[in-house]
Amino acid sequence: MQDRKNRLLWTVLAVVLPGPWTPVVVLAYVLDRAAARDRDARHHDEEPPYPPPDPYACVPVPVSRNRTAPSR
């Protein structure tokens, strides 16, 4: 929805301003889109708050309460 509003705003601005300003408006629109794409890419590159589970990890053997007992 926000992208739609921005596109409408840039289109209205390009139509309302006189002809020589149209390339400036188009350039500003392209730079705004590139900046938004960079922000989205940086957001997706962040590490998750916890590491993903390792599908190949072995399940640890439960530890017995008696430490002096021989291992099985």
Side-chain angles (χ1 to χ4, degrees):
M1 183 72 172
Q2 186 67 22
D3 186 46
R4 222 173 176 184
K5 286 182 182 180
N6 279 342
R7 247 186 301 169
L8 179 65
L9 172 77
W10 286 112
T11 304
V12 168
L13 197 59
V15 169
V16 170
L17 289 176
W21 285 100
T22 302
V24 174
V25 172
V26 170
L27 179 64
Y29 171 73
V30 169
L31 292 175
D32 184 51
R33 291 280 304 214
R37 194 172 301 133
D38 284 345
R39 281 191 304 267
D40 290 343
R42 267 187 260 128
H43 176 70
H44 293 298
D45 287 345
E46 293 175 2
E47 290 186 29
Y50 52 88
D54 186 5
Y56 300 107
C58 296
V59 178
V61 178
V63 179
S64 66
R65 293 186 187 268
N66 186 359
R67 292 186 178 204
T68 58
S71 60
R72 296 183 188 184

